[in-house]
Amino acid sequence: QLQLVESGGGLVQAGGSLRLSCAASGRSISNYDMGWLRQAPGKERDFVASISVSGRITHYADSVKGRFTISRDNAKNMVYLQMNNLNPEDTAVYYCAAGSSLVMVAPPYWGQGTQVTVSS
């Protein structure tokens, strides 16, 4: 079974940056497409970004393009989300996910989430 644990969330001012990390255990992430999703209070969970097994293909939600960068290190079993120029609309719980599709619809593996709060 693949376990995912997110870290790196916190409180940041608008315009600031955060780097989220996702540590995987139990299985190698080299078998999975990886992604990040987020859920703001009172809203549904939304796709943020995904990355292919090789790392050569990435997808981003329009709302984060040019500001967020997803990356992975298969040797370390880690996935990252670099978030720059944050704004209050980015406030949400961010989840790391693993699956077999870059679309990240109903991925079979999720972490517990890490809170990101952006103050104006």
Side-chain angles (χ1 to χ4, degrees), residues 8 12 25 72 103-104:
V12 64
S25 62
R72 65 191 293 160
V103 178
M104 287 290 147

Side-chain angles (χ1 to χ4, degrees), residues 88-107:
E89 290 71 38
D90 295 317
T91 295
V93 177
Y94 283 71
Y95 298 90
C96 178
S100 58
S101 169
L102 288 172
V103 178
M104 287 290 147
V105 174

Side-chain angles (χ1 to χ4, degrees), residues 80-97:
Y80 307 97
L81 185 68
Q82 177 67 42
M83 306 186 295
N84 298 328
N85 194 21
L86 286 160
N87 59 63
E89 290 71 38
D90 295 317
T91 295
V93 177
Y94 283 71
Y95 298 90
C96 178

Side-chain angles (χ1 to χ4, degrees), residues 99-118:
S100 58
S101 169
L102 288 172
V103 178
M104 287 290 147
V105 174
Y109 301 105
W110 295 88
Q112 84 290 348
T114 186
Q115 176 70 48
V116 171
T117 303
V118 184

Side-chain angles (χ1 to χ4, degrees), residues 39-60:
Q39 187 167 20
K43 295 187 177 181
E44 294 185 351
R45 196 169 296 184
D46 289 331
F47 170 82
V48 176
S50 61
I51 186 168
S52 64
V53 169
S54 67
R56 286 193 288 267
I57 301 172
T58 57
H59 291 306
Y60 295 94

